[in-house]
Amino acid sequence: MNKHHSKNSEPKYINPYLGGVLLGLLVLVTVLITGRGLGASGAIKSTVVTTAHVFTPEQAKSNAYMNKFISDDHSPMYTWLVFETLGIFLGGLLSGIVFGRVKKLRTEHSPKITSKTRLIFALIGGMLFGIGSQFGRGCTSGAALSGTATFALGGAVVMFAIFGTGYAAAYFFRKLWI
Amino acid sequence: MNRNYIYLTILMLVLAVGTVLVNNEPKLKQIEPQQLLVEMVQPTRYVTTDQVAEMMIHGDPSLEIVDVRSAAEFEKFALPKAVNIPLDSLINPSNLSYFGIPGTRVVFVSNDDIAADQAWVLTKRLGYKSTYVMRGGLNCWMQTIIDPQEPGENEPSLAFETYTFRKGAQQYFTGAQAEAPEGAKVKVEVQRRKKTSVAAGGC
Amino acid sequence: MCPLIPNGIIGTGWDFVIALILGIAFGFILEASGFSSSRNIVGVFYGYNFVVLRVFFTALIVAMVGLLYFSYFGWLDLSKIFILPTYLIPMIVGGVIMGIGFIMGGFCPGTSFTAVAIGKLDGIVFTIGLYLGIFVFTEAYPLFGDFYNSGDLGNVTITDAFGIPASWVAMAFTVVALAAFWGTSLIEKRVRKNRSEYKF
């Protein structure tokens, strides 16, 4: 594949600094309206709690972690973060349609690995991210971005821990990506 | 490098430096212990009952009497137009809005002047200016204004002048009380600091 | 006057409508910036694509500086906004786990949802992984509940912890971010020169 061709096939993304300014203003507006920042992992937690509550209600209630999020008057799905996450999905879909990136199911991976390897690592990575986000009280959007933007100490701690570890571990997983 | 990026970089830097320039005031202005001590040993914070009575009679708009006794005691007797802020709730943010209004003088009142003095120290500590203590408190008020003692014969003429004033003040206050009987409390209109500049418009 | 919902200016009934709208904007920005592609995202760790760093730090400094100006003009009561509580050691551990998950999975939760939206199978699998991970966490919670709740410092800000005024924090982040934008653009140029076959 020659260089010229690869240049042409680069997808059209918006200028990253423009995206950053828009995202920063969005965080600002979110704080101004709701008093707290954006988030993403909380919705998955709500889903976990809901499914556990539906299938094994007794067990869910006795679980010391889950019972914090179970209340009798409304479902754990009826929370701010779940609706916001639904919005993330719709917004992604909207952008994908606008820029012509919505296509049939596909897997993106380095030419050096197979799709299967990529999916296995995606699953493990997702699990680790899920576990880590509970200890970190939020993920990259909730803790690292919104937390640090509101000057929370914990947000900065999580941000440096995530990116620091990412750089430290990058060498060992280079075959996955380059 | 694209020149626009250089402009944007400069713009962002200027905005960030601007936050340092506009936000450098400390949140709570507390005065130094040394300065507090100096102000505490000086008697300038005291105003006499006569001065308070005179300002009240003249309807001095800058005077604001803050009664630091409990609400129950305040119900029984209080100076006209006094505001009741019990000492234990003095530093509630809503109550603090009575202090530090430019052009007003807050006079603390209690039964004697000990509780009022404590209130004065607290507001001084928080950096509020022009707060005063009525010397002797309401007990002294009773002795001097409501029930003034006639001076003896050998006392200087000044004492007689004071007595005359006090007699007049007594009539003013007790007479006023007779006209407006207990229970029909005059609705107190007190100046309060405006909530921190909530500008019109905005978000 | 802001924040609007905690101050009761907007009724709580509008909560979920606002959540949906803000989420749509969030998802749109993430996808449009190229965060629906995992190889795009992890480029930040290998030096061939710093889009994550650019978007993330631009957003961070814009939000920080913006909050300070809104507070200065009296439009926002900074004491009423939610400050993430700090649990020092659990948060560092969580961050390390997330960092490894990040480099293995190539997404973070928000970006994986946008990847799902445009039909990336790895995004779907990552989201399933998130679900399983949190499920494992909740089931195993009794084992490390004490650790999870240890080191609670409360809802502290950087200013509370170190005594540095918020405006200095914002300025420091801005200077570091701007320097990083410049430095990483040089690195990116050099790395990409050697990788003509690179395709997003």
Side-chain angles (χ1 to χ4, degrees):
Chain A
M1 194 185 296
N2 66 39
K3 203 174 176 180
H4 185 70
H5 180 252
S6 75
K7 261 254 155 56
N8 276 346
S9 62
E10 273 186 23
K12 294 281 174 286
Y13 294 129
I14 61 170
N15 183 307
Y17 299 110
L18 173 65
V21 171
L22 291 176
L23 186 55
L25 293 176
L26 180 69
V27 172
L28 187 59
V29 167
T30 310
V31 173
L32 290 182
I33 294 177
T34 67
R36 52 192 304 160
L38 298 159
S41 54
I44 303 282
K45 182 173 71 189
S46 294
T47 319
V48 171
V49 174
T50 309
T51 41
H53 191 48
V54 168
F55 290 112
T56 56
E58 289 314 308
Q59 225 173 319
K61 274 207 172 127
S62 63
N63 184 301
Y65 190 65
M66 278 197 246
N67 68 13
K68 282 191 276 186
F69 308 107
I70 297 173
S71 77
D72 289 328
D73 46 326
H74 65 82
S75 153
M77 290 307 274
Y78 203 65
T79 59
W80 202 88
L81 277 174
V82 173
F83 281 80
E84 191 233 37
T85 305
L86 199 63
I88 297 179
F89 179 81
L90 293 175
L93 190 63
L94 191 65
S95 164
I97 293 168
V98 169
F99 295 102
R101 282 193 284 268
V102 181
K103 290 171 195 149
K104 66 178 190 324
L105 284 182
R106 62 204 184 274
T107 308
E108 187 191 27
H109 58 87
S110 162
K112 290 176 188 154
I113 58 166
T114 60
S115 289
K116 198 177 160 195
T117 318
R118 167 75 187 110
L119 292 182
I120 290 169
F121 275 98
L123 188 72
I124 299 170
M127 285 182 71
L128 288 176
F129 223 116
I131 294 168
S133 66
Q134 301 310 300
F135 281 113
R137 269 78 180 174
C139 57
T140 21
S141 32
L145 178 61
S146 304
T148 315
T150 50
F151 302 99
L153 177 66
V157 168
V158 170
M159 180 182 75
F160 285 115
I162 291 178
F163 285 103
T165 313
Y167 277 105
Y171 178 81
F172 305 103
F173 299 102
R174 64 192 183 284
K175 284 230 177 78
L176 291 176
W177 307 108
I178 54 176
Chain B
M1 196 192 267
N2 191 333
R3 187 177 291 168
N4 288 342
Y5 283 151
I6 298 174
Y7 293 148
L8 285 174
T9 307
I10 294 170
L11 175 69
M12 197 61 225
L13 266 180
V14 168
L15 285 174
V17 172
T19 62
V20 175
L21 297 180
V22 299
N23 283 310
N24 56 0
E25 53 193 323
K27 270 179 196 159
L28 206 59
K29 280 178 249 145
Q30 290 205 346
I31 69 170
E32 293 295 313
Q34 288 86 348
Q35 203 192 332
L36 184 64
L37 185 68
V38 168
E39 295 201 27
M40 271 168 74
V41 293
Q42 283 174 349
T44 48
R45 66 176 175 280
Y46 289 114
V47 291
T48 62
T49 48
D50 295 330
Q51 285 170 316
V52 173
E54 194 178 347
M55 282 199 280
M56 282 164 78
I57 291 168
H58 291 151
D60 191 334
S62 71
L63 175 72
E64 190 173 314
I65 297 171
V66 172
D67 198 322
V68 295
R69 295 172 306 157
S70 66
E73 287 177 289
F74 184 78
E75 276 297 308
K76 277 186 207 150
F77 172 79
L79 297 181
K81 293 199 178 180
V83 182
N84 182 222
I85 306 177
L87 191 59
D88 50 14
S89 61
L90 184 77
I91 52 175
N92 285 357
S94 61
N95 289 339
L96 284 181
S97 58
Y98 287 104
F99 310 124
I101 312 165
T104 63
R105 284 174 283 185
V106 173
V107 177
F108 289 112
V109 170
S110 56
N111 280 334
D112 46 29
D113 50 23
I114 293 173
D117 238 356
Q118 288 167 336
W120 178 85
V121 173
L122 274 173
T123 53
K124 269 292 153 188
R125 190 72 214 288
L126 291 168
Y128 292 107
K129 291 195 172 69
S130 54
T131 52
Y132 300 89
V133 175
M134 189 168 86
R135 171 156 263 167
L138 289 171
N139 294 337
C140 183
W141 176 270
M142 285 299 174
Q143 287 165 17
T144 53
I145 307 295
I146 306 299
D147 186 20
Q149 296 296 318
E150 202 174 346
E153 279 184 20
N154 333 342
E155 303 233 5
S157 63
L158 194 67
F160 283 94
E161 277 173 36
T162 318
Y163 177 70
T164 333
F165 167 75
R166 284 177 179 173
K167 264 304 196 195
Q170 178 199 21
Q171 291 212 325
Y172 177 85
F173 287 108
T174 50
Q177 268 186 344
E179 277 167 35
E182 292 266 339
K185 275 230 163 106
V186 190
K187 194 68 199 145
V188 188
E189 252 183 71
V190 194
Q191 261 185 299
R192 271 190 144 190
R193 192 153 29 111
K194 296 254 163 40
K195 280 262 175 177
T196 40
S197 63
V198 182
C203 49
Chain C
M1 65 196 296
C2 290
L4 298 178
I5 289 177
N7 275 348
I9 296 173
I10 295 181
T12 41
W14 286 91
D15 256 14
F16 296 134
V17 179
I18 292 165
L20 197 66
I21 294 170
L22 291 172
I24 288 174
F26 190 27
F28 192 96
I29 295 167
L30 287 179
E31 212 288 328
S33 306
F35 281 7
S36 55
S37 155
S38 53
R39 291 191 78 195
N40 236 352
I41 293 174
V42 292
V44 72
F45 295 119
Y46 297 102
Y48 61 81
N49 191 343
F50 281 101
V51 62
V52 168
L53 181 122
R54 288 181 188 133
V55 173
F56 188 91
F57 275 98
T58 312
L60 189 61
I61 60 179
V62 166
M64 273 181 157
V65 170
L67 282 178
L68 288 180
Y69 276 106
F70 270 76
S71 154
Y72 172 68
F73 290 118
W75 297 332
L76 170 69
D77 188 352
L78 275 183
S79 63
K80 278 199 182 156
I81 65 175
F82 170 77
I83 302 292
L84 192 76
T86 301
Y87 297 80
L88 197 56
I89 303 297
M91 275 182 147
I92 293 174
V93 170
V96 168
I97 297 172
M98 280 191 269
I100 296 171
F102 202 0
I103 197 77
M104 287 173 86
F107 287 116
C108 57
T111 58
S112 72
F113 302 148
T114 64
V116 173
I118 66 161
K120 291 270 177 74
L121 202 55
D122 42 347
I124 297 173
V125 172
F126 185 91
T127 310
I128 295 169
L130 277 178
Y131 180 90
L132 292 177
I134 296 177
F135 185 74
V136 168
F137 176 89
T138 53
E139 288 302 312
Y141 180 74
L143 295 178
F144 45 68
D146 290 340
F147 172 69
Y148 175 81
N149 289 313
S150 66
D152 184 3
L153 301 180
N155 304 50
V156 289
T157 62
I158 299 173
T159 311
D160 299 334
F162 300 112
I164 312 166
S167 50
W168 285 96
V169 176
M171 200 183 72
F173 268 97
T174 307
V175 171
V176 170
L178 293 173
F181 296 155
W182 177 74
T184 52
S185 73
L186 298 182
I187 296 173
E188 193 180 73
K189 215 175 270 175
R190 184 167 294 181
V191 173
R192 281 193 180 185
K193 207 183 278 175
N194 304 329
R195 292 172 45 85
S196 53
E197 87 288 353
Y198 170 69
K199 186 175 152 292
F200 284 91

